[in-house]
Amino acid sequence: TKTPTGGDGLLIYGFEIDGIRLTDNTAFTVPAIPSIASTVRANPSAGFSIVSYTGSSSAATVGHGLNAAPGMIIVKDRDSGSWNWQVAHSGIGADDSLLLNDSSATADYNAWNNTRPTSSVFSLGGGISGVSTNGNAHIAYCFAPVEGYSAFGSYEGNGVADGPFVFTGFKPAFLLTKWIDGNDQWNIYDVKRSTFNVTDDILRPNYDYGENSDSAVDAIDILSNGFKIRSSNQNINAASTYIYYAVASHPFKTSRAR
């Protein structure tokens, strides 16, 4: 090709990174490009990626490789034992976090630079301890919704034992829930430990003790297309807001009731 001065040259109209074509044509919108380097291992079909990166003193974006906006991101500083596991979720504020190792309500740590993740990157505040500690290595586990396989969302409790039904579109095999407005435990339910309804064998990632077996105060029913709360306990059913992450028992539209 010819340069504007008439000499020979190479003209680049676009290039491709991880299957995403970037272009200088003004008819196209250039997708978000990560501002710091990361190592990504992604399975977009399963909606899951693992991202390793180094924290920065400046606000930054990090690629996640999922080609869809994550519904949940869990981050841990690998070089320090002083900082919590921070959790971003589509059911809480853009700059809010929950702490996987703690029972606290949501709080604004400026961890995510007040920006929702996109289909290509998630955002970090500059030098925020635990998610972008300057110079420290971090690991992020990113989860994106996949129809018929996984779902993220929130539900409103009603404060009575005949609690709300939450539609996921499939029978959950694994369910994680958390009250976001107050201080109470995380809950993990699954169909391998609780093989029939009611489902009331619960693990709690914020505690180091064993399973709460036959915990009627936090009982649910797992159904062919979602789950139903069977308790008025504030941990799962105050007149308040809760987030969840569900993974299908029989993925891709083959759910069966039990």
Side-chain angles (χ1 to χ4, degrees):
T1 62
K2 294 294 183 180
T3 68
T5 59
D8 292 330
L10 177 65
L11 181 62
I12 299 175
Y13 286 97
F15 55 97
E16 190 171 287
I17 299 175
D18 292 335
I20 299 173
R21 186 176 295 273
L22 308 180
T23 176
D24 66 351
N25 188 326
T26 56
F28 296 90
T29 300
V30 177
I33 301 173
S35 64
I36 61 174
S38 61
T39 301
V40 182
R41 295 292 181 267
N43 184 342
S45 296
F48 177 63
S49 69
I50 303 173
V51 183
S52 177
Y53 63 92
T54 300
S56 170
S57 60
S58 301
T61 55
V62 184
H64 54 67
L66 292 177
N67 300 325
M72 184 170 71
I73 302 171
I74 301 173
V75 174
K76 183 70 178 73
D77 183 331
R78 296 166 57 196
D79 289 336
S80 174
S82 300
W83 311 121
N84 296 300
W85 292 77
Q86 292 216 30
V87 181
H89 192 282
S90 58
I92 61 179
D95 214 29
D96 288 345
S97 293
L98 291 162
L99 305 177
L100 189 64
N101 57 303
D102 190 85
S103 60
S104 300
T106 56
D108 183 352
Y109 299 99
N110 197 33
W112 320 110
N113 204 31
N114 201 30
T115 305
R116 293 286 187 189
T118 71
S119 60
S120 55
V121 299
F122 62 93
S123 297
L124 299 170
I128 304 301
S129 298
V131 296
S132 192
T133 315
N134 190 34
N136 283 12
H138 298 73
I139 197 78
Y141 302 102
C142 304
F143 305 82
V146 176
E147 184 179 4
Y149 180 78
S150 60
F152 304 83
S154 62
Y155 68 88
E156 295 298 320
N158 62 13
V160 299
D162 184 14
F165 165 73
V166 182
F167 177 79
T168 61
F170 52 76
K171 173 187 170 184
F174 169 92
L175 179 66
L176 174 72
T177 71
K178 177 69 174 74
W179 183 26
I180 70 172
D181 297 325
N183 188 330
D184 218 326
Q185 315 316 318
W186 291 82
N187 306 297
I188 294 177
Y189 306 86
D190 65 71
V191 299
K192 297 302 181 183
R193 293 176 300 115
S194 296
T195 57
F196 54 85
N197 288 324
V198 292
T199 302
D200 56 5
D201 299 314
I202 304 166
L203 292 169
R204 307 189 192 279
N206 56 291
Y207 275 156
D208 59 2
Y209 55 58
E211 176 184 87
N212 284 118
S213 299
D214 301 319
S215 180
V217 294
D218 294 320
I220 66 171
D221 282 345
I222 289 181
L223 306 173
S224 63
N225 58 351
F227 60 96
K228 181 173 174 60
I229 308 301
R230 293 295 188 187
S231 168
S232 60
N233 186 28
Q234 72 173 17
N235 193 31
I236 57 170
N237 192 26
S240 195
T241 305
Y242 300 79
I243 55 100
Y244 68 88
Y245 165 44
V247 179
S249 180
H250 303 285
F252 307 116
K253 306 182 188 302
T254 59
S255 294
R256 297 184 293 270
R258 62 173 184 163

